Amino acid sequence: MTYWIACLAALATPATAQEQKATTPFVLAPLPYPATALEPVIDAETMTLHHDRHHQAYIDSLNKAIAADPALAGRSLEQLLAVAGAEPAAVRNNAGGHWNHSFFWKTMARPGTGGQPSPELARAIDAAFGSMDAMKAAFKTAGTGRFGSGWVWLILGPDSRLAIASTPNQDNPLMDVAETHGTPLLGNDVWEHAYYLKHRNRRADYLDAWWQVVDWKTVSERFAAARR
Ligand SMILES: [Fe+2]
């Protein structure tokens, strides 16, 4: 029942609005689909561990860090990200972990159901990269090139052009400390906990397979919202 209530709530609220509403204390939302939904690209055990254990741990640690510093209470997740460089590492890492994973779950859909980019987004991808295949190649290069753990992103930059960015650990392009700033449109988790059970050490294979579960409808909605 809880799953279907979450689904109805998700349908009633645009993805971009859902990504803005969280304030302290933070809580873990259910996955927007069953843990088996992304198979065979991402297996159910990985999804369950990733969501129920890893994401929950970021939230628990973030709430603990905020409770220890009353000056941070009541801030939105986006407000915390914007000044991450001035915060204790526990806030930066776990605020990023919570935002990134919340965004990640909503970036994906069952294989074969994610549709295609909107015509506007498709044109922007062609303008920035030359083609969808070239964008995916640049995304893969950034993802495989990220040493250790981190994320790879497609963002709309402040110059209104699409770009690929990679961030270490749980940083993201919304943070003041990011090398490349912009509005994330999609992001893939390249921590080993995201793919190791299924893809073992083959991060490149995971990055290739992941496109099968990208929800282009949501990504296109984010692009439209970011351009307003
Ligand atoms: Fe993760």
Side-chain angles (χ1 to χ4, degrees):
M1 179 63 83
T2 302
Y3 166 71
W4 291 109
I5 291 172
C7 287
L8 290 170
L11 287 170
T13 310
T16 48
Q18 290 176 54
E19 286 152 18
Q20 303 294 323
K21 72 177 183 181
T23 55
T24 53
F26 298 103
V27 296
L28 181 63
L31 283 171
Y33 34 67
T36 54
L38 306 184
E39 290 185 340
V41 177
I42 305 177
D43 59 282
E45 184 179 13
T46 294
M47 288 299 291
T48 300
L49 289 169
H50 199 176
H51 176 268
D52 296 3
R53 304 289 180 84
H54 291 279
H55 191 172
Q56 183 70 64
Y58 294 123
I59 293 172
D60 291 345
S61 297
L62 176 60
N63 286 332
K64 184 178 176 185
I66 289 173
D69 186 349
L72 297 173
R75 295 192 187 181
S76 71
L77 206 46
E78 286 73 18
Q79 289 171 325
L80 293 170
L81 299 180
V83 293
E87 293 166 347
V91 176
R92 169 178 170 175
N93 292 337
N94 292 295
H98 181 27
W99 194 95
N100 293 349
H101 287 85
S102 300
F103 182 84
F104 182 58
W105 311 133
K106 289 181 282 197
T107 301
M108 299 183 288
R110 288 180 188 276
T113 68
Q116 298 297 321
S118 66
E120 295 79 10
L121 177 56
R123 281 196 294 272
I125 289 171
D126 287 346
F129 303 99
S131 68
M132 174 65 89
D133 285 347
M135 185 278 286
K136 289 181 176 177
F139 193 91
K140 183 177 181 180
T141 297
T144 54
R146 165 53 53 196
F147 181 76
S149 299
W151 291 75
V152 56
W153 310 90
L154 175 67
I155 62 171
L156 183 64
D159 59 356
S160 299
R161 278 181 71 85
L162 298 180
I164 301 297
S166 174
T167 53
N169 304 314
Q170 294 295 349
D171 286 358
N172 68 45
L174 297 173
M175 289 184 173
D176 55 346
V177 293
E179 287 182 11
T180 305
H181 295 99
T183 302
L185 303 179
L186 63 81
N188 196 358
D189 187 343
V190 296
W191 284 60
E192 283 190 345
H193 68 221
Y195 62 86
Y196 200 86
L197 292 182
K198 166 85 179 179
H199 299 278
R200 300 306 181 190
N201 61 322
R202 299 183 295 272
R203 184 188 289 182
D205 291 354
Y206 162 67
L207 283 161
D208 285 339
W210 185 72
W211 293 110
Q212 298 174 48
V213 294
V214 168
D215 184 354
W216 285 107
K217 179 174 181 292
T218 293
V219 176
S220 298
E221 289 172 357
R222 290 169 176 163
F223 178 64
R227 292 208 302 172
R228 286 188 199 118

